[in-house]
Amino acid sequence: MPKLIIITHPEVSIDPAVPITEWGLNAVGRKRATEFASSGILSAVTQIWTSDERKARETGEILAAPRKLSVKCNLDLGENDRSATGYLPLKDFEAAADAFFAQPESSYRGWEPAIEAQIRILRTVTKIIRSHNAGDLAIVTHGAVGTLLWCALSNCSIDRKHDQPSQGHFWQADLATLKPDSCWVSLT
């Protein structure tokens, strides 16, 4: 049965002076993506979509290279909009992410509410699936929206306990039923 494979970008180069959407993969992230690109998990992938954020595009390009696939981008596969706060130091970011998941209908300091991000990612992935012809479909996105999608497809309440433990994970679902086969699994 064909699979939907939701993948999050691995480690990035964090630079507070650069917009978050323009952060690229760091050396560790590139290495992990390259190793995952040769895994059997992606052997039946016939199409790769990514968010338009640089880190996701770079990951998608690395995953597509061994298969000689083109990468398609969709803005609505992007992470929850956090532009209202911009860069936050790790401790502040973790507190913000906790609030984002804990109060899904509220906006944390101008962030896109989790419920709105969930509706957006579910609508976008569903639209992409409808246009997919055959084989496995890989979508490279981000941790929060990947978790929100997993919650929607698993009929679970939005809760950070379902979030990936760190960057660079994936989960799979049956492409016909969209029922996830697992929780987050590390790329390498």
Side-chain angles (χ1 to χ4, degrees):
M1 298 298 277
K3 297 282 186 187
L4 168 65
I5 307 167
I6 301 295
I7 304 159
T8 64
H9 61 80
E11 292 81 359
V12 299
S13 294
I14 296 172
D15 183 348
V18 173
I20 295 166
T21 57
E22 292 305 314
W23 290 353
L25 297 178
N26 66 21
V28 172
R30 280 190 296 280
K31 180 178 185 291
R32 289 184 67 214
T34 301
E35 289 172 5
F36 187 63
S38 63
S39 76
I41 293 160
L42 302 177
S43 63
V45 168
T46 59
Q47 199 172 49
I48 298 176
W49 284 80
T50 73
S51 96
D52 195 43
E53 295 187 33
R54 180 177 167 195
K55 51 195 164 273
R57 288 191 326 265
E58 287 179 357
T59 303
E61 289 164 2
I62 291 169
L63 301 182
R67 287 155 197 80
K68 296 180 176 39
L69 296 173
S70 61
V71 176
K72 298 179 181 184
C73 289
N74 187 310
L75 290 172
D76 287 334
L77 292 172
E79 185 61 290
N80 61 301
D81 183 354
R82 306 185 310 249
S83 58
T85 59
Y87 169 79
L88 294 172
L90 184 59
K91 182 180 173 188
D92 295 337
F93 173 78
E94 290 298 327
D98 286 344
F100 170 79
F101 280 100
Q103 299 174 344
E105 299 198 12
S106 299
S107 171
Y108 174 82
R109 293 178 52 195
W111 282 19
E112 176 184 27
I115 192 71
E116 291 179 18
Q118 184 181 56
I119 291 166
R120 172 178 51 81
I121 193 73
L122 181 59
R123 178 188 66 236
T124 303
V125 169
T126 301
K127 183 178 178 182
I128 290 169
I129 289 169
R130 276 193 232 124
S131 71
H132 183 68
N133 292 324
D136 290 352
L137 171 63
I139 295 179
V140 182
T141 188
H142 309 273
V145 292
T147 298
L148 295 171
L149 180 62
W150 185 92
C151 290
L153 298 178
S154 299
N155 293 318
C156 292
S157 298
I158 293 172
D159 192 314
R160 193 164 189 204
K161 73 181 179 184
H162 304 298
D163 197 9
Q164 66 177 355
S166 59
Q167 296 175 356
H169 283 72
F170 74 97
W171 56 264
Q172 299 180 78
D174 179 285
L175 199 51
T177 66
L178 297 183
K179 177 133 178 73
D181 296 341
S182 68
C183 296
W184 291 109
V185 177
S186 180
L187 296 182
T188 55

